Amino acid sequence: MTPIDRRAFLAAAGASAAMSAAKAIAASAAGEGSERAAHPGDDHRGPAVIASANGLKTVELAFARVAAGVDPLLAAVEGVGLVEADPDDMSVGYGGLPNERGVVQLDSSVMHGPTHRAGAVAALENIVHPARVALKVLQTTDHCLLVGQGALDFARAHGFPEQNLLTDRARAAWLKWKHNLSPADDWLDDDQTDWPEDQAPQTRLDHPPPGWPEGVPFTWGTIHCSAVTGAGDLGSCTTTSGLSFKIPGRVGDSPIVGAGMFCDNAVGAAGATGRGEAVIESCGAFDAVREMERGATPTEACLAVLRRIAERSTRQRRLVERGVPNFNVTMYALRKDGAFGSAALRGPAGGAPFAVCTAAGARIEHAPVLFVV
Ligand code: GLY
């Protein structure tokens, strides 16, 4: 299907006054009345690694590992490790934006296709590589998910080094947020002009919700990565620092198996980035894999999940209007035969970027969006 231009779309909907926005979304996303555009990834076959747009180096590394015969889950976990350790990515691992108390809490899940086993950690502090801890949960326990202090104790038991994950830049961003919470509190917003260039808060991270103060960073950001070998074995991984300035203990979709990540070696793998609550409420990754099982291409599967999220979003503060969310979610899907695709709820007319690596090399491709913004 082609990207939906919201203006054109509403104009069409307006011509038929009886057509609700929700119905219009469903009709347009189903490709009714429009030529369904081809998405080249849906036709790809063979080994492949797909990731969110912040994972270009991730897919390159993971694909090289898969090509060298490394297990696809180990390859994906190694690949996302580059972003977990990157202080400049404020949505994942070291350098991620902290919770409302200024503490970085990380979430991650992993799943291994051939054994259908999963591991996850949530609200983990002081460990740079939560995906590696999630992998240890999978490999060395009879559990799926460890949280908070228990996850940290487990990481310590396995010798993971501890360090403060709050970089100066993330701390500056947190202070900026705190200074802008209320004009009536005692945290005054100075303009922080004395921040060195490399420590100043980044402000263009993600689409903030309406009313978010100007100049204050915001992110739902995350990295998802799924890999498939030439033999059709899959591994999948999602890792994040989660929603910026969240309530301490808040857990997003990333460590929830079936929401932020899911893998079924008979079908494919999928993952999500964006507003975790919406993905949890729709079991996004599980839904995408089941869509592929029913015959959808990876791109169609991602779009089907996003349509359901749009149609079922009812919380007024999260809607532009009924059926039109003001937040973003991006889905990624990789089929057992190597077909891949992505789609985003909102994005530019040129599509939403995602990273992929195949035998043709690592690159950024663009996925269809439900609402052009
Ligand atoms: N998708 C990341 C989060 O909501 O925490």
Side-chain angles (χ1 to χ4, degrees):
M1 70 157 250
T2 50
I4 299 164
D5 182 307
R6 167 134 184 86
R7 277 172 299 241
F9 173 24
L10 281 188
S16 165
M19 193 177 196
S20 71
K23 278 184 187 156
I25 293 163
S28 299
E32 286 172 18
S34 65
E35 194 75 13
R36 211 169 75 188
H39 301 292
D42 286 333
D43 296 326
H44 176 264
R45 300 292 180 269
V49 181
I50 186 172
S52 40
N54 52 351
L56 188 57
K57 290 201 168 81
T58 293
V59 294
E60 190 172 29
L61 174 60
F63 188 84
R65 293 293 186 262
V66 166
V70 171
D71 176 273
L73 176 56
L74 300 186
V77 169
E78 189 177 346
V80 300
L82 296 174
V83 180
E84 289 176 325
D86 180 357
D88 291 331
D89 192 312
M90 299 182 88
S91 69
V92 180
Y94 178 61
L97 290 174
N99 66 19
E100 68 177 26
R101 272 197 242 135
V103 177
V104 181
Q105 286 189 327
L106 305 177
D107 297 339
S108 179
S109 61
V110 302
M111 194 156 181
H112 186 233
T115 56
H116 202 70
R117 292 216 49 207
V121 289
L124 175 64
E125 297 176 11
N126 292 349
I127 305 288
V128 175
H129 293 294
R132 295 181 192 174
V133 185
L135 181 64
K136 277 280 179 219
V137 173
L138 179 156
Q139 290 170 326
T140 70
T141 78
D142 204 17
H143 304 319
C144 284
L145 173 61
L146 298 179
V147 305
Q149 186 63 43
L152 179 57
D153 290 346
F154 175 81
R156 280 183 183 140
H158 282 277
F160 283 88
E162 286 179 70
Q163 72 176 83
N164 181 4
L165 303 180
L166 189 67
T167 58
D168 284 342
R169 175 173 270 179
R171 187 175 51 77
W174 171 69
L175 276 176
K176 185 83 180 159
W177 170 78
K178 218 165 161 54
H179 289 148
N180 281 274
L181 276 179
S182 162
D185 68 19
D186 295 332
W187 292 79
L188 307 181
D189 190 20
D190 61 22
D191 67 5
Q192 300 284 3
T193 46
D194 56 345
W195 268 324
E197 176 75 12
D198 64 347
Q199 292 176 18
Q202 292 174 351
T203 55
R204 300 293 323 145
L205 292 178
D206 219 333
H207 296 291
W212 192 256
E214 188 64 33
V216 178
F218 174 87
T219 183
W220 301 101
T222 297
I223 181 164
H224 167 75
C225 178
S226 285
V228 66
T229 68
D233 285 331
L234 291 141
S236 194
C237 168
T238 299
T239 176
T240 189
S241 53
L243 170 66
S244 42
F245 320 125
K246 58 195 172 187
I247 295 174
R250 177 266 187 189
V251 169
D253 59 321
S254 303
I256 306 299
V257 174
M261 183 272 333
F262 186 69
C263 174
D264 181 337
N265 219 47
V267 180
T273 59
R275 179 173 151 71
E277 284 74 7
V279 179
I280 292 172
E281 287 166 350
S282 67
C283 299
F286 179 81
D287 197 19
V289 171
R290 289 292 162 251
E291 281 287 335
M292 289 193 285
E293 188 174 45
R294 287 191 285 268
T297 68
T299 305
E300 288 168 348
C302 293
L303 285 165
V305 173
L306 296 172
R307 282 199 301 275
R308 278 196 269 279
I309 289 175
E311 289 165 6
R312 285 160 179 72
S313 290
T314 56
R315 198 170 298 178
Q316 199 50 49
R317 67 189 294 264
R318 290 288 169 206
L319 295 174
V320 176
E321 62 185 85
R322 184 162 166 69
V324 185
N326 65 24
F327 58 85
N328 210 355
V329 169
T330 305
M331 297 298 306
Y332 313 86
L334 178 61
R335 213 169 53 193
K336 184 177 178 62
D337 61 3
F340 62 85
S342 173
L345 208 45
R346 300 158 62 88
F354 67 99
V356 64
C357 191
T358 62
R363 56 203 184 268
I364 294 291
E365 293 198 358
H366 287 83
V369 301
L370 276 188
F371 299 103
V372 172
V373 288

